[in-house]
Amino acid sequence: MTDDKEAEGSVHTSVGSQLIIPIAAILFTIYYFYTIIDAPWTAQVAAFIVGSILIILVVLFGLKSVKIIRTGQGALDFDDLITPRSFVPKRLGLLSLTIVYIFIVPSLGFTITTFLFLAMATLLLSEGKNMSLILSLSAGLSLGGYLLFIVAFKTRFPAGPFETLMKVLF
Amino acid sequence: MEYDLSFFSEMFVRTFSFWWVIIPAIFLGLVVGAIPGFSAANTIIILLPLTLAMDPEIGLTFMVALYASSRMGAGIPAILVNIPGTAGAAATPLDGYPMTKQGRGQQALAMSFFASISGGLFTTVIALLSLPWLSQIAYYLHSVEMIVIMFFGISLIATIAAKDTLKGLIAGFFGLMIGFIGTDVVYETPRGTFGFLELYDKVPLIPALVGLFAISEAFAIIERQSILTERGKAAMQNPGWSATFEGIRMAASRWWHITWNSLIGLVIGVVPGAGAAIASFVAYQQSKTYSKTPELYGTGHIEGLIAPESANNGVTSGTLVPLLVIGIPGGATAAIMLVVLQYHGVTVGPDLFLTSPELAFGPFTAMAVTYVLMILTALPLARYMSKITVISTIYMAPIIISFTLVGSFVPRAYLFDMNLALVFGVIGYVARKTDYHVAAILIGVILGPLMETYFLRAMKMSQGDIMVIFSSSIGNTLWVLLVISLALPYYMDHRRKKLGDGS
């Protein structure tokens, strides 16, 4: 990101996106303090020290951000997160596929879900080009993963119809 | 028994005869080290039935070889695709990945391998010769001293994110707060868990690592056709052995840097629980602080790569010292070794050096022999491994997501951990796009539970008196050193500017 900005020679700061991490940190710290409010002092002390320092740091960053906006060096926008805009649909698509992957892997198992995810995600990113190559690559990788992780390393990966069938056959 | 040159020579010759166990362990270690979620400890647990069936000396040799090579393997994806195989390699991509983007992946791997092998070999020999003295270090570090050491770790964050110290500190302290999630060790009160039982036992490290580094990187790289820059692509057009030899030559010319940083790793490794992640960041920070060209760190600087790699391999031998001398394992792998030794009826501790010297010194000679054999087996692989960087991101991003996401499931076999990895992936993506360093968040997550444990112990012992953290002379010396280490970069920078103006 920094490289891109430097290449473009831009000095614009997207203050809105810069504030996401500090605001998330503050919200989490407040929630954390709420959960330890009735805990013994000895169980609170580390979090109170670290959390207080964090709040001070975020306040300082907030003041710095206000200064950036006032001097016209930045604006309260989210450009840092969404540029280049042409990749937003692909990125959202990839995120959706990842959520679906996590959601269906317990029922379909590692091998089938990985094949479906690899095929669909790669087709999404390549805009549907090289379909036969992508399908065979996805099949090869998911089968390779099955052989390495489940057969060789005996890892407790989520099992589905394919893993159950293989267990019955071999 | 006399421990003279002939004794150690015999030990080395004897260990070399186990090459048939060591070489497969090296390759297995490189593979499992390179896959997030497949640590040496996990693999040794999976292979425990095999290890327990072996003669204890051969079983230990196998475990040590796998342990040492997995440490080196973790640096491979860190350099090539910006995804550390383990937390111990989290400082490696800071300069390793920029080198890859410039098309110097092969050279970076050769440097990393050389620094790992020579640093690991050197510290193993040092550990072997100074076992009784090194074992004393752990006795002097109690809760108070460890709190200061943890603060040392946090101070590194500001240095790592040198472009904006404030952002670095926010990321690091946010990571610390995340690291505090879970039940406290004294009262078992659940804190910050959002009601998830899976978080009662702290935030698992592998999903955090996978999310912050792998998932976020996968979402970020799809903007580019390749992870290589245009210059990098041109550099990758003519791969040959010359880049490997050049990498070795450049690393070898910095032998003092390797020696010093591997010794840092050895000393930190001796402290139970401290580990490779802390050692590699400490090494990186001090390397940058005392460098004549600190501005080059983070841009693909050689010393920024060899410092963490030599340090985390120094840790490898360090963790074995407290195990063998006082019976306290310095890390997860050392703990499994203890289980295997106990299974065979071997009691570790000072007596082991008298009753079974081949078992007491054996792990160190096995480690030394492993590093020697790695020169022949691992170094030549740099040329071929670097080719992964030419794969298009269209294929690479989905592969990274699917395989690392499932890797986050492996350590605990909770589906929850895959969701957690995705959450960390989103945090990591936002952090990357807004120039908060993901490594700063990760080091916070690593140090959080450790810092809290030591805080709780210190508070318990002092009956709630916060001033206990200034009650130890060693601790106070460390506080002074901490202040100096924070102030020194500013002083050096000021001095450099002054000299620049003068000239």
Side-chain angles (χ1 to χ4, degrees), chain A residues 2 18 31-32 42 91 156, chain B residues 167 180 223 409 436 456:
Chain A
T2 309
Q18 299 277 331
Y31 164 70
Y32 194 96
T42 45
R91 192 167 283 129
R156 289 175 296 171
Chain B
K167 278 185 177 179
F180 289 159
E223 288 167 14
F409 169 85
Y436 288 87
L456 288 173

Side-chain angles (χ1 to χ4, degrees), chain A residues 100-122:
Chain A
V100 172
Y101 179 82
I102 295 172
F103 188 69
I104 64 170
V105 77
S107 45
L108 283 186
F110 166 77
T111 316
I112 294 175
T113 319
T114 302
F115 167 73
L116 291 173
F117 175 80
L118 286 175
M120 292 174 77
T122 316

